[in-house]
Amino acid sequence: MNRLRFFLPLIFSLLLSPIFAEGGHEIKVKIKEFGNQDIILAYYFNKSMYVRDTVKTDAQGLAVFTGSEALPGGLYLFYLPNGKFFDVLISEGQNMSISTDTLDLIGNMSISGSEEAGLFLEYQRFIGQQQAKVNSLRQEMTANAENQEALDVLNAKLEDLNKEVAAYWENAVAQYPGTFYATFIKAMQDPVIPDFELPEGTQNPDSLLQAKRYFYYRDHYFDNIDFQDARLLRTPFFAQKIDNYMERMIVQVPDTVAKTSIDIIEKSRGNEEMFRFLVQLMYNRTNESKIMGMDAAMVALADKYYLAGETPWADEKFLENLRTRVGEIRPTLLGSLARNLKMENEQGQVFSLHEINAAVTILAFYEPSCGHCKKEIPKLYKEVFEKYRNKGVQVFAVYTMADREEWTGFINEHELFDWINVYDPYHQTRFRNFYDIRSTPMIYILDREKKIVAKRLDVEQMPGFLDHLLNKQ
C-alpha cells in the first residue's frame, strides 16, 4: 500500500462520535534521518482510514503526539511523507515511545511504555517472517509445477506454517486474557471447522460434508468476535467481516437480511458505541441496496430501532424524514396488496385496477415529457405487452399528468391502443402517495390477486421474470 486514502465520514460523522476513555495521551515517534517533516496519525474505521492528528518532526526526527483525552483503543497507523506507514496497536498505556528508521520500519522498531503495542510489534514481525517463508515455498512450487512428489512436500511445509500461525494465535489469546491484544488476535481468526463423520452408506457423502461444513462455518462465523468491545471498530477487518457475512453467507432476500441484521445488532446490546455503529451500518446497507425488494429490510430495521426510540443519537429532523419515507415505501413493499385505482380512459370510461381479470397485471406510471418514458413505454408495448397479452398479461398504463391533449397525442403517436390507458387529472386516487411516484416511468408487476411481486424492473428484464411468474402460477 503506497498511498493513504482519506475519506470524510458521511452519516457516521453526523451520528456517531467515539466514546473516549479518560486521561490523555503522549506518543513520541522518532524516525531516524527524517527531520522537519510531517507525520500523520490515522486510524482504521469501517474499511477506511481517517486522520487523527498531524505533527512535524524536529531536526532529529522526533514527533510528539499529545492530547488531553486518551485515544479510543484500536489499530492506528503512522503515515510518512515517503508513502510508507506502520501500524501500532493502541489501548492501555498511551504514554509510549516508538523509534525506528525508514530502512526497515518494523524490523528496526522499538516500543516502550505500552505492553500491548510491544506484543503487537512482535506479532507483526512473526507474521512477516512467516509470509517470507510462504513466498519462498510458492516460488519453489512454481519451479516444480510438473513434479507432483515435490509439490506434495512443499504443500506439507505450507500446512506446517499455517499450524505455526494458528499456534501463535492460540498462545496469544491464552497468555494475555483480558487485553485488547488478545481480543484483536482472536477476532481475526475464522472458526475451526470440525471433522464430521458420516454413517456408512451415506449417499453423496462429499456434498453432505460440504453442506455440513458450510452450515457450521455460517453458524459459528462470529464466535471469535467480542461485540462488547468497541475497540474492534477501529481495525481494518471488523467491518469487512460483517460485509463478507452479509454478502456471502446468507440468502439475499429481505426477510433473511432483516433477521440476520437484527441478530448481529443485538449481540452488541450493552455497548453504546458498537450498537450505534451496527444499527447505522445495517440500516445503510439495506437503504443503499440495489436488490429489488430490499427496501422491506430497510423498513424492518427502521421500525425496530429508529422509529421505536432506540436511537437517541439520531436527531429529530432525521427521524421525521425517515418516518415520512417509511410511510411512502410501506404500501409498495413486495407481497403487499396493490392499492386499488379507479381511473378513466380517453372516452371517460372508468376502469378499476382490482377488477382486471389477468394472471399478471403490469402497472405502469409515465409522462410523455419524460425522456426515459418516451423510450420505455413504447418498448413495453411492443416487446412485452404484444408478446404476452395472449398469455394472460394486461397493462394498466397510467398517465401521471393532467394535459389530456399531450396524453392522447402520445397514445396515438405510438399506437398504444390495446392495453388499458387511464389517467386521474384531479388526483382523486392519490396514486402518487400509494405508489411512491418520485420519478417516471415507475412500473409494478402484480399477480392475479393484485399483490406486488416486482417493481422498478427495466423492460429488458421483464420477459424472463414474466416467464417465471406465469410458469409458477
Side-chain angles (χ1 to χ4, degrees), residues 164-180:
E164 290 177 17
V165 172
Y168 191 102
W169 284 344
E170 184 176 354
N171 180 67
V173 173
Q175 192 172 354
Y176 302 99
T179 65
F180 180 52

Side-chain angles (χ1 to χ4, degrees), residues 9-20 43 45-46 230 233-234 271-281 306 313-314:
L10 298 177
I11 190 170
F12 291 103
S13 68
L14 298 174
L15 303 180
L16 180 62
S17 57
I19 298 173
F20 295 100
Y43 61 95
F45 188 84
N46 193 26
L233 294 175
R234 287 168 286 278
N271 187 293
E272 181 182 347
E273 188 179 359
M274 182 70 82
F275 180 76
R276 278 185 293 179
F277 174 80
L278 290 174
V279 169
Q280 292 170 183
L281 178 70
Y306 287 101
W313 64 85

Side-chain angles (χ1 to χ4, degrees), residues 19 46 48 58 60 79 96-97 100 126-127 131 173 192 208 241 293 303 318 335 349 389 401 404 429 464:
I19 298 173
N46 193 26
S48 298
D58 62 16
Q60 287 70 46
Y79 184 72
M96 71 173 80
S97 295
T100 188
F126 169 74
I127 291 298
Q131 188 60 56
V173 173
V192 178
L208 182 57
K241 285 183 76 77
D303 285 341
F318 172 83
Q349 181 182 0
R389 60 190 302 186
M401 308 303 285
R404 180 183 175 83
T429 60

Side-chain angles (χ1 to χ4, degrees), residues 63-76:
V64 182
F65 295 85
T66 61
S68 59
E69 294 178 323
L71 298 171
L75 190 64
Y76 286 72

Side-chain angles (χ1 to χ4, degrees), residues 117-275:
L119 290 171
F120 184 73
L121 175 60
E122 293 176 9
Y123 168 75
Q124 288 178 290
R125 288 173 176 159
F126 169 74
I127 291 298
Q129 294 166 0
Q130 296 299 98
Q131 188 60 56
K133 294 176 183 178
V134 168
N135 293 340
S136 177
L137 288 174
R138 294 202 181 281
Q139 290 178 357
E140 290 186 56
M141 294 175 75
T142 300
N144 291 274
E146 305 299 326
N147 187 338
Q148 188 58 49
E149 183 176 350
L151 289 176
D152 290 342
V153 172
L154 294 170
N155 276 317
K157 290 183 179 180
L158 280 176
E159 184 60 29
D160 288 340
L161 290 177
N162 288 333
K163 290 179 180 179
E164 290 177 17
V165 172
Y168 191 102
W169 284 344
E170 184 176 354
N171 180 67
V173 173
Q175 192 172 354
Y176 302 99
T179 65
F180 180 52
Y181 169 70
T183 299
F184 182 95
I185 294 296
K186 185 176 182 180
M188 289 192 296
Q189 302 175 52
D190 282 335
V192 178
I193 301 175
D195 294 326
F196 292 102
E197 295 184 2
L198 300 178
E200 291 186 12
T202 299
Q203 295 184 349
N204 301 318
D206 291 341
S207 298
L208 182 57
L209 278 175
Q210 185 177 9
K212 281 181 169 289
R213 290 168 183 153
Y214 163 77
F215 286 117
Y216 183 91
Y217 184 79
R218 184 197 66 182
D219 295 342
H220 295 270
Y221 185 89
F222 293 115
D223 282 2
N224 293 324
I225 299 290
D226 183 356
F227 284 91
Q228 295 300 310
D229 195 333
R231 293 172 293 188
L232 289 176
L233 294 175
R234 287 168 286 278
T235 65
F237 61 81
F238 177 79
Q240 188 61 59
K241 285 183 76 77
I242 300 290
D243 278 353
N244 287 342
Y245 188 83
M246 296 301 296
E247 292 171 6
R248 302 179 184 179
M249 303 302 296
I250 64 172
V251 180
Q252 297 300 299
V253 296
D255 287 349
T256 300
V257 169
K259 181 182 182 304
T260 303
S261 298
I262 291 171
D263 288 345
I264 293 173
I265 291 169
E266 291 302 311
K267 294 177 186 292
S268 69
R269 285 283 188 184
N271 187 293
E272 181 182 347
E273 188 179 359
M274 182 70 82
F275 180 76

